[in-house]
Amino acid sequence: MAAEIKFCLPIGKWWFLSPYAEFPIKMEVDGGMYEFPTVEHYYQSVKFYADDARFHKVMCQKSPDEARLLTKMPDYRNNRRADFEENKYALMEKGMRAKFAQNSAAAEMLKKTGDAVLIKSCAVCYKCGFGEGSGENRLGKMLMKIREELSAM
Ligand SMILES: [Zn+2]
């Protein structure tokens, strides 16, 4: 049986799997190129259009969790990117793929997880408590897919 790796926050041995891990990514958004400090910053920013000041505010937050929390504020609830909800998993995957394509150290660490089953799960965060860890493991599946692509290269 393949080993299981449980990851979530950017701490401990599997820190690099987290979307919060500090691997900057350059991404095209609405025709412009932007650099995001983490995948989470990208994911949270694209809730807004690039010509919206809130896109930039979110992108510039010090930590990924601050970026996430800012998007929950009342001023951040309206006039979001219209198709964000339907595309959110695709956007997360795009960010994750960019992280490993643009940061070779991260790609090497991911490849070294071999055939271990990657599971997003921790005891503390709201997502693991209410879905991701106990549910569909979308992030883990994304990472395993990206690992397969990297290993085939
Ligand atoms: Zn968690």
Side-chain angles (χ1 to χ4, degrees):
M1 206 176 97
E4 284 186 354
I5 289 176
K6 293 190 173 162
F7 70 95
C8 181
L9 300 174
I11 49 172
K13 194 176 176 189
W14 312 113
W15 68 277
F16 60 92
L17 297 172
S18 175
Y20 281 22
E22 279 189 54
F23 292 105
I25 51 171
K26 288 197 184 77
M27 303 296 289
E28 201 218 299
V29 182
D30 302 331
M33 286 301 289
Y34 302 92
E35 184 166 330
F36 302 87
T38 68
V39 173
E40 187 72 13
H41 279 84
Y42 166 70
Y43 178 77
Q44 297 297 340
S45 299
V46 294
K47 289 179 175 173
F48 310 95
Y49 294 104
D51 64 359
D52 184 326
R54 298 174 299 179
F55 171 87
H56 299 269
K57 280 258 178 87
V58 175
M59 183 167 68
C60 294
Q61 291 300 300
K62 270 199 306 235
S63 73
D65 212 40
E66 282 167 289
R68 178 180 72 81
L69 289 170
L70 185 57
T71 73
K72 313 279 181 206
M73 301 298 285
D75 289 351
Y76 285 74
R77 289 192 184 149
N78 302 319
N79 303 313
R80 291 178 172 217
R81 182 178 299 278
D83 57 0
F84 177 79
E85 275 304 313
E86 63 193 81
N87 289 323
K88 62 183 183 180
Y89 298 116
L91 289 163
M92 176 53 85
E93 188 169 327
K94 198 171 161 186
M96 279 299 205
R97 186 165 280 111
K99 163 177 156 176
F100 293 103
Q102 297 177 23
N103 296 277
S104 57
E108 285 311 308
M109 290 188 276
L110 177 58
K111 279 198 255 181
K112 279 189 188 144
T113 63
D115 62 354
V117 181
L118 307 179
I119 302 164
K120 182 168 183 287
S121 173
C122 73
V124 293
C125 86
Y126 75 105
K127 269 190 178 169
C128 291
F130 298 99
E132 296 257 307
S134 55
E136 300 191 49
N137 189 33
R138 287 178 194 273
L139 207 57
K141 286 177 188 162
M142 261 175 221
L143 286 166
M144 289 187 273
K145 189 161 110 185
I146 293 168
R147 181 177 64 191
E148 210 170 291
E149 291 164 6
L150 288 170
S151 304
M153 275 159 59

Tab-separated table of all heavy atoms in Angstrom, residues 81-113:
chain	number	residue	atom	x	y	z
A	81	ARG	N	-15.420	38.774	-9.888
A	81	ARG	CA	-15.319	38.130	-11.200
A	81	ARG	C	-16.535	37.209	-11.372
A	81	ARG	O	-16.786	36.338	-10.533
A	81	ARG	CB	-14.022	37.321	-11.262
A	81	ARG	CG	-13.772	36.643	-12.607
A	81	ARG	CD	-12.444	35.895	-12.594
A	81	ARG	NE	-11.323	36.812	-12.354
A	81	ARG	CZ	-10.744	37.567	-13.285
A	81	ARG	NH1	-11.137	37.476	-14.536
A	81	ARG	NH2	-9.753	38.384	-12.985
A	82	ALA	N	-17.263	37.424	-12.463
A	82	ALA	CA	-18.571	36.777	-12.598
A	82	ALA	C	-18.485	35.252	-12.591
A	82	ALA	O	-19.347	34.581	-12.040
A	82	ALA	CB	-19.240	37.266	-13.879
A	83	ASP	N	-17.445	34.702	-13.196
A	83	ASP	CA	-17.394	33.243	-13.320
A	83	ASP	C	-16.410	32.607	-12.335
A	83	ASP	O	-15.956	31.490	-12.543
A	83	ASP	CB	-17.054	32.841	-14.758
A	83	ASP	CG	-15.739	33.450	-15.221
A	83	ASP	OD1	-15.087	34.183	-14.427
A	83	ASP	OD2	-15.350	33.197	-16.365
A	84	PHE	N	-16.095	33.340	-11.262
A	84	PHE	CA	-15.121	32.777	-10.307
A	84	PHE	C	-15.603	31.458	-9.711
A	84	PHE	O	-14.863	30.465	-9.693
A	84	PHE	CB	-14.798	33.767	-9.184
A	84	PHE	CG	-13.862	33.168	-8.161
A	84	PHE	CD1	-12.498	33.087	-8.406
A	84	PHE	CD2	-14.351	32.623	-6.973
A	84	PHE	CE1	-11.639	32.490	-7.487
A	84	PHE	CE2	-13.488	32.025	-6.050
A	84	PHE	CZ	-12.134	31.962	-6.314
A	85	GLU	N	-16.821	31.438	-9.219
A	85	GLU	CA	-17.316	30.239	-8.523
A	85	GLU	C	-17.236	28.994	-9.403
A	85	GLU	O	-16.780	27.947	-8.962
A	85	GLU	CB	-18.745	30.446	-8.017
A	85	GLU	CG	-18.823	31.140	-6.660
A	85	GLU	CD	-18.042	30.437	-5.537
A	85	GLU	OE1	-18.171	29.207	-5.408
A	85	GLU	OE2	-17.311	31.124	-4.799
A	86	GLU	N	-17.668	29.131	-10.643
A	86	GLU	CA	-17.673	27.951	-11.512
A	86	GLU	C	-16.263	27.541	-11.943
A	86	GLU	O	-16.049	26.391	-12.337
A	86	GLU	CB	-18.579	28.155	-12.729
A	86	GLU	CG	-18.146	29.274	-13.638
A	86	GLU	CD	-19.221	29.663	-14.651
A	86	GLU	OE1	-20.148	30.415	-14.272
A	86	GLU	OE2	-19.127	29.217	-15.799
A	87	ASN	N	-15.331	28.475	-11.858
A	87	ASN	CA	-13.960	28.163	-12.299
A	87	ASN	C	-12.966	28.028	-11.166
A	87	ASN	O	-11.759	27.898	-11.409
A	87	ASN	CB	-13.450	29.272	-13.235
A	87	ASN	CG	-14.163	29.233	-14.565
A	87	ASN	OD1	-14.463	28.164	-15.077
A	87	ASN	ND2	-14.446	30.402	-15.109
A	88	LYS	N	-13.407	28.067	-9.918
A	88	LYS	CA	-12.440	28.197	-8.833
A	88	LYS	C	-11.470	27.026	-8.726
A	88	LYS	O	-10.297	27.231	-8.428
A	88	LYS	CB	-13.123	28.471	-7.498
A	88	LYS	CG	-14.038	27.413	-6.997
A	88	LYS	CD	-14.677	27.910	-5.693
A	88	LYS	CE	-15.559	26.858	-5.085
A	88	LYS	NZ	-16.170	27.347	-3.845
A	89	TYR	N	-11.928	25.832	-8.999
A	89	TYR	CA	-10.999	24.697	-8.903
A	89	TYR	C	-9.993	24.730	-10.050
A	89	TYR	O	-8.819	24.404	-9.872
A	89	TYR	CB	-11.760	23.374	-8.865
A	89	TYR	CG	-12.654	23.275	-7.650
A	89	TYR	CD1	-14.032	23.203	-7.770
A	89	TYR	CD2	-12.103	23.300	-6.368
A	89	TYR	CE1	-14.856	23.145	-6.643
A	89	TYR	CE2	-12.911	23.250	-5.238
A	89	TYR	CZ	-14.286	23.165	-5.388
A	89	TYR	OH	-15.082	23.118	-4.280
A	90	ALA	N	-10.464	25.155	-11.226
A	90	ALA	CA	-9.557	25.280	-12.368
A	90	ALA	C	-8.507	26.365	-12.103
A	90	ALA	O	-7.337	26.216	-12.467
A	90	ALA	CB	-10.346	25.602	-13.633
A	91	LEU	N	-8.931	27.437	-11.445
A	91	LEU	CA	-7.987	28.521	-11.138
A	91	LEU	C	-6.959	28.064	-10.105
A	91	LEU	O	-5.766	28.371	-10.226
A	91	LEU	CB	-8.743	29.751	-10.640
A	91	LEU	CG	-9.545	30.484	-11.726
A	91	LEU	CD1	-10.579	31.414	-11.111
A	91	LEU	CD2	-8.613	31.257	-12.657
A	92	MET	N	-7.401	27.346	-9.097
A	92	MET	CA	-6.468	26.812	-8.107
A	92	MET	C	-5.461	25.873	-8.781
A	92	MET	O	-4.262	25.933	-8.533
A	92	MET	CB	-7.246	26.088	-7.002
A	92	MET	CG	-6.396	25.397	-5.957
A	92	MET	SD	-5.136	26.425	-5.146
A	92	MET	CE	-6.082	27.184	-3.826
A	93	GLU	N	-5.968	25.045	-9.679
A	93	GLU	CA	-5.083	24.100	-10.368
A	93	GLU	C	-4.083	24.835	-11.258
A	93	GLU	O	-2.903	24.458	-11.323
A	93	GLU	CB	-5.923	23.112	-11.190
A	93	GLU	CG	-5.075	21.997	-11.771
A	93	GLU	CD	-5.909	20.866	-12.362
A	93	GLU	OE1	-7.007	20.583	-11.850
A	93	GLU	OE2	-5.446	20.269	-13.346
A	94	LYS	N	-4.537	25.894	-11.892
A	94	LYS	CA	-3.650	26.699	-12.732
A	94	LYS	C	-2.519	27.297	-11.891
A	94	LYS	O	-1.354	27.286	-12.285
A	94	LYS	CB	-4.488	27.822	-13.378
A	94	LYS	CG	-3.877	28.482	-14.567
A	94	LYS	CD	-4.913	29.392	-15.214
A	94	LYS	CE	-4.249	30.397	-16.110
A	94	LYS	NZ	-5.224	31.382	-16.623
A	95	GLY	N	-2.899	27.806	-10.703
A	95	GLY	CA	-1.902	28.371	-9.795
A	95	GLY	C	-0.927	27.316	-9.302
A	95	GLY	O	0.283	27.536	-9.258
A	96	MET	N	-1.455	26.159	-8.942
A	96	MET	CA	-0.613	25.071	-8.452
A	96	MET	C	0.343	24.581	-9.535
A	96	MET	O	1.513	24.319	-9.284
A	96	MET	CB	-1.485	23.898	-7.978
A	96	MET	CG	-2.030	24.092	-6.591
A	96	MET	SD	-0.668	24.230	-5.394
A	96	MET	CE	-1.467	23.699	-3.918
A	97	ARG	N	-0.173	24.471	-10.748
A	97	ARG	CA	0.678	24.008	-11.849
A	97	ARG	C	1.807	25.012	-12.091
A	97	ARG	O	2.953	24.630	-12.304
A	97	ARG	CB	-0.168	23.807	-13.107
A	97	ARG	CG	0.614	23.187	-14.242
A	97	ARG	CD	-0.261	22.655	-15.369
A	97	ARG	NE	-0.809	21.352	-15.034
A	97	ARG	CZ	-2.089	21.105	-14.787
A	97	ARG	NH1	-2.980	22.060	-14.860
A	97	ARG	NH2	-2.485	19.889	-14.492
A	98	ALA	N	1.468	26.302	-12.013
A	98	ALA	CA	2.476	27.355	-12.215
A	98	ALA	C	3.537	27.300	-11.117
A	98	ALA	O	4.726	27.496	-11.371
A	98	ALA	CB	1.799	28.722	-12.230
A	99	LYS	N	3.115	27.033	-9.903
A	99	LYS	CA	4.058	26.960	-8.786
A	99	LYS	C	5.151	25.935	-9.048
A	99	LYS	O	6.335	26.216	-8.864
A	99	LYS	CB	3.293	26.614	-7.516
A	99	LYS	CG	4.127	26.115	-6.348
A	99	LYS	CD	3.232	25.885	-5.152
A	99	LYS	CE	3.800	24.897	-4.167
A	99	LYS	NZ	2.945	24.771	-2.971
A	100	PHE	N	4.762	24.759	-9.511
A	100	PHE	CA	5.750	23.709	-9.727
A	100	PHE	C	6.494	23.893	-11.044
A	100	PHE	O	7.640	23.472	-11.176
A	100	PHE	CB	5.087	22.327	-9.626
A	100	PHE	CG	4.607	22.055	-8.227
A	100	PHE	CD1	3.266	22.166	-7.894
A	100	PHE	CD2	5.511	21.735	-7.225
A	100	PHE	CE1	2.821	21.942	-6.591
A	100	PHE	CE2	5.084	21.511	-5.916
A	100	PHE	CZ	3.735	21.614	-5.603
A	101	ALA	N	5.867	24.557	-12.013
A	101	ALA	CA	6.549	24.832	-13.282
A	101	ALA	C	7.580	25.945	-13.112
A	101	ALA	O	8.633	25.930	-13.754
A	101	ALA	CB	5.531	25.222	-14.354
A	102	GLN	N	7.302	26.894	-12.219
A	102	GLN	CA	8.162	28.076	-12.100
A	102	GLN	C	9.146	28.000	-10.938
A	102	GLN	O	10.003	28.867	-10.798
A	102	GLN	CB	7.292	29.335	-11.953
A	102	GLN	CG	6.416	29.593	-13.178
A	102	GLN	CD	5.507	30.804	-13.015
A	102	GLN	OE1	5.774	31.708	-12.224
A	102	GLN	NE2	4.426	30.830	-13.769
A	103	ASN	N	9.004	26.987	-10.093
A	103	ASN	CA	9.907	26.844	-8.946
A	103	ASN	C	10.471	25.426	-8.951
A	103	ASN	O	9.825	24.484	-8.483
A	103	ASN	CB	9.158	27.117	-7.643
A	103	ASN	CG	8.655	28.553	-7.543
A	103	ASN	OD1	9.383	29.459	-7.169
A	103	ASN	ND2	7.401	28.768	-7.917
A	104	SER	N	11.670	25.268	-9.473
A	104	SER	CA	12.197	23.921	-9.658
A	104	SER	C	12.417	23.200	-8.328
A	104	SER	O	12.278	21.981	-8.244
A	104	SER	CB	13.476	23.952	-10.484
A	104	SER	OG	14.415	24.797	-9.860
A	105	ALA	N	12.736	23.950	-7.270
A	105	ALA	CA	12.927	23.308	-5.959
A	105	ALA	C	11.625	22.663	-5.494
A	105	ALA	O	11.623	21.537	-4.975
A	105	ALA	CB	13.402	24.335	-4.935
A	106	ALA	N	10.519	23.349	-5.710
A	106	ALA	CA	9.214	22.795	-5.340
A	106	ALA	C	8.912	21.554	-6.173
A	106	ALA	O	8.418	20.550	-5.660
A	106	ALA	CB	8.117	23.844	-5.531
A	107	ALA	N	9.238	21.614	-7.462
A	107	ALA	CA	8.985	20.467	-8.352
A	107	ALA	C	9.790	19.249	-7.909
A	107	ALA	O	9.265	18.130	-7.882
A	107	ALA	CB	9.330	20.839	-9.793
A	108	GLU	N	11.048	19.475	-7.530
A	108	GLU	CA	11.882	18.348	-7.077
A	108	GLU	C	11.299	17.719	-5.819
A	108	GLU	O	11.260	16.501	-5.682
A	108	GLU	CB	13.317	18.821	-6.813
A	108	GLU	CG	14.132	19.076	-8.082
A	108	GLU	CD	14.033	17.913	-9.076
A	108	GLU	OE1	14.286	16.756	-8.662
A	108	GLU	OE2	13.677	18.155	-10.244
A	109	MET	N	10.866	18.560	-4.883
A	109	MET	CA	10.300	18.034	-3.637
A	109	MET	C	9.011	17.262	-3.902
A	109	MET	O	8.772	16.219	-3.301
A	109	MET	CB	10.061	19.176	-2.636
A	109	MET	CG	11.365	19.757	-2.089
A	109	MET	SD	11.089	20.938	-0.730
A	109	MET	CE	10.772	22.433	-1.655
A	110	LEU	N	8.219	17.758	-4.828
A	110	LEU	CA	6.965	17.056	-5.154
A	110	LEU	C	7.272	15.697	-5.781
A	110	LEU	O	6.684	14.680	-5.415
A	110	LEU	CB	6.107	17.905	-6.102
A	110	LEU	CG	4.793	17.267	-6.581
A	110	LEU	CD1	3.880	16.891	-5.407
A	110	LEU	CD2	4.047	18.202	-7.530
A	111	LYS	N	8.237	15.662	-6.697
A	111	LYS	CA	8.591	14.395	-7.350
A	111	LYS	C	9.068	13.374	-6.320
A	111	LYS	O	8.803	12.181	-6.442
A	111	LYS	CB	9.665	14.627	-8.409
A	111	LYS	CG	9.102	15.137	-9.725
A	111	LYS	CD	10.083	14.931	-10.856
A	111	LYS	CE	10.724	16.242	-11.241
A	111	LYS	NZ	11.681	16.128	-12.352
A	112	LYS	N	9.794	13.874	-5.308
A	112	LYS	CA	10.324	12.966	-4.289
A	112	LYS	C	9.257	12.326	-3.407
A	112	LYS	O	9.554	11.383	-2.679
A	112	LYS	CB	11.347	13.700	-3.407
A	112	LYS	CG	12.710	13.788	-4.063
A	112	LYS	CD	13.761	14.325	-3.103
A	112	LYS	CE	15.061	14.592	-3.858
A	112	LYS	NZ	15.755	15.774	-3.339
A	113	THR	N	8.024	12.809	-3.482
A	113	THR	CA	6.971	12.149	-2.707
A	113	THR	C	6.576	10.818	-3.361
A	113	THR	O	5.767	10.066	-2.808
A	113	THR	CB	5.708	13.037	-2.539
A	113	THR	OG1	5.129	13.289	-3.832
A	113	THR	CG2	6.040	14.358	-1.855
